[in-house]
Amino acid sequence: MSHLFPTYARWEIEPESASGSTIIDKNGNKYLDFTSGIGVCNLGHRPIHVEKAVHKQLNQYWHVSNLFQSDSQETAAKMLAQAAGLHRVFFANSGAEANEAAIKLARKATGRTKIITFINSFHGRTFATMSATGQDKIKHGFGPMLETFVYVPFHDIESVKAEMGNDVAAVMLEIVQGEGGIHVGSKEFLQGVQELCKQHGALFIIDEIQTGIGRTGKPFAFQHYDLDPDLVTSAKGLGNGFPIGAVIGKEKLTPYFGPGSHGSTFGGNPVSIAAAVATMETIFNTEFLDEVVDKSQFLFLLLRTHLKHLHIIQDIRGIGLMAGIECQIPVTTLLSELRKMGLIVLPAGEKVIRLLPPLTISKEDLEKSVIIIKHLLEKLYLSPNNKKMAIN
């Protein structure tokens, strides 16, 4: 009997080791890992540069407290702030904590409580971030949510206008709704939301937990759209597997996060900071990001070339190395079958296969993954005129 709460529908795989884009399980089976720890291991498993930085810090000290000065935190904060075009950073342990901090800061800085978020968004599982999330399924059974969040349809600027007013503290959104199905925001919509925030004195918060740290081919996804957010949250890929989150904000918000206003015992832990600095040294590099863009173009060309003839495919969408394959059926069984074929992928909602390969993935492995998906769907697909799948 397990002593763990059954909060996860665990797969049949137990990893023994991992390196780069490969996981080897306890039975010696090899898998292409196109989850990256759910968008965490952007440099793949155990990249040498990050591993060396972590080992160095482990031989110095593991934890003191945030009452001490920290040159490494200052270095990491400067790298993040400069990459985002912002000024100040607060370090947390996770994306949920980063979003929680951003919500607190927005309410304190504006003196308002209403926050607009979007249907199918995902911002975390703490009470505030669960309340911010526009998906009822994660709230079931937990009673009333915080009442100051309202949810409007993504890409519907008129719905944002209808809720916007001088009582709004912030609008919080994802550039790409990752958990919600890989829905990519348009430039017109995102810039329209930003303008409404400016008109009404509300803060513009961008949740880059999954899209940040090079995932889309830029340091942050909002940089594809000429946006100027007040707050950006980051986590997942920031530490390449070590727990860390961050809120990055404008200088004008500094007075509202003074001593005693917020804190985190383990936030900015020295080992996680060492991993984050090493990760950013690699990813925040023009040549590296250009390679991500090139691989992205290659991946989407492969997907459209090899899958377009399959009537079961509803849509292929995404940005950078963040792709969604929308099917006409629930994908749970498909994901299980793909694991049997040596490819580990994720769902994004009920009917979307989500691909989040490491940014260091080779083109050979990108092609291999798409061929595996193609072979499975061709095997299970009944006929060009039949939209049902033969899945046992």
Side-chain angles (χ1 to χ4, degrees):
M1 183 186 77
S2 174
H3 292 281
L4 296 167
F5 278 112
T7 51
Y8 303 100
R10 295 183 187 270
W11 297 335
E12 65 282 1
I13 299 168
E14 183 170 356
E16 176 75 18
S17 64
S19 179
S21 58
T22 301
I23 289 176
I24 301 175
D25 72 11
K26 287 199 169 184
N27 296 316
N29 299 309
K30 290 185 178 182
Y31 303 87
L32 264 179
D33 180 14
F34 270 52
T35 73
S36 301
I38 313 184
V40 168
C41 299
N42 282 3
L43 295 176
H45 296 284
R46 295 175 42 234
I48 292 173
H49 185 50
V50 177
E51 190 170 347
K52 286 181 177 179
V54 168
H55 282 170
K56 180 180 178 181
Q57 184 60 51
L58 285 171
N59 288 325
Q60 293 175 315
Y61 59 95
W62 301 356
H63 176 80
V64 282
S65 89
N66 283 314
L67 296 175
F68 289 84
Q69 298 288 334
S70 174
D71 284 344
S72 60
Q73 278 194 9
E74 291 287 351
T75 297
K78 182 178 180 180
M79 294 173 76
L80 265 179
Q82 289 183 341
L86 295 168
H87 310 98
R88 296 282 183 163
V89 174
F90 173 84
F91 286 112
N93 300 297
S94 67
E97 282 193 16
N99 283 337
E100 184 95 19
I103 290 165
K104 286 179 64 175
L105 181 51
R107 288 174 58 142
K108 187 173 185 183
T110 62
R112 307 171 183 177
T113 58
K114 182 178 177 180
I115 295 178
I116 299 172
T117 65
F118 294 86
I119 295 168
N120 289 327
S121 62
F122 183 83
H123 298 292
R125 293 182 182 272
T126 65
F127 231 92
T129 58
M130 181 169 61
S131 298
T133 294
Q135 297 187 54
D136 290 339
K137 66 181 181 181
I138 76 157
K139 306 173 187 181
H140 180 70
F142 293 106
M145 295 291 107
L146 300 183
E147 297 178 354
T148 54
F149 290 92
V150 296
Y151 318 100
V152 298
F154 199 52
H155 274 152
D156 187 344
I157 195 66
E158 294 303 319
S159 293
V160 182
K161 288 179 182 178
E163 289 290 351
M164 184 60 79
N166 295 333
D167 59 339
V168 174
V171 177
M172 187 176 193
L173 56 73
E174 304 155 278
I175 299 297
V176 183
Q177 291 189 328
E179 300 293 330
I182 315 295
H183 296 289
V184 184
S186 70
K187 184 173 183 178
E188 181 182 15
F189 170 71
L190 295 169
Q191 289 188 345
V193 172
Q194 177 175 270
E195 183 58 32
L196 286 172
C197 287
K198 288 181 178 179
Q199 290 175 11
H200 293 273
L203 297 189
F204 186 31
I205 304 173
I206 298 182
D207 176 342
E208 293 258 12
I209 303 305
Q210 191 167 147
T211 51
I213 319 300
R215 175 56 57 182
T216 67
K218 289 187 180 291
F220 296 95
F222 77 83
Q223 293 165 329
H224 291 278
Y225 300 93
D226 298 323
L227 299 174
D228 181 30
D230 298 291
L231 289 168
V232 174
T233 56
S234 178
K236 287 189 179 292
L238 180 55
N240 208 76
F242 287 84
I244 188 169
V247 181
I248 318 161
K250 289 185 173 179
E251 183 65 34
K252 68 180 182 180
L253 299 172
T254 304
Y256 304 101
F257 250 19
S261 61
H262 195 55
S264 174
T265 297
F266 296 106
N269 171 271
V271 181
S272 293
I273 288 288
V277 169
T279 298
M280 289 187 285
E281 284 175 345
T282 303
I283 293 177
F284 293 164
N285 176 289
T286 301
E287 184 177 337
F288 183 92
L289 292 171
D290 286 345
E291 289 181 3
V292 174
V293 172
D294 181 55
K295 291 173 188 177
S296 171
Q297 293 170 348
F298 183 70
L299 172 60
F300 282 98
L301 177 62
L302 286 170
L303 290 170
R304 293 184 174 113
T305 299
H306 289 289
L307 303 183
K308 66 180 180 181
H309 67 290
L310 295 165
H311 292 263
I312 197 65
I313 303 300
Q314 187 76 25
D315 191 20
I316 295 169
R317 56 181 179 263
I319 184 173
L321 289 176
M322 185 177 188
I325 305 167
E326 185 175 359
C327 300
Q328 296 184 11
I329 60 166
V331 298
T332 301
T333 303
L334 293 177
L335 303 191
S336 177
E337 293 298 315
L338 287 171
R339 291 195 293 274
K340 293 176 185 177
M341 298 173 71
L343 176 64
I344 308 174
V345 295
L346 293 161
E350 185 184 21
K351 296 183 178 180
V352 177
I353 299 171
R354 177 173 28 162
L355 306 182
L356 292 173
L359 308 184
T360 51
I361 192 76
S362 68
K363 287 187 175 180
E364 179 183 3
D365 281 344
L366 286 173
E367 186 165 17
K368 183 178 178 181
S369 72
V370 175
I371 295 300
I372 290 172
I373 295 170
K374 174 188 177 182
H375 284 170
L376 175 66
L377 295 182
E378 286 182 338
K379 174 185 174 183
L380 298 176
Y381 197 61
L382 294 177
S383 74
N385 298 316
N386 191 333
K387 295 181 180 180
K388 294 183 179 180
M389 301 290 289
I391 298 176
N392 297 318

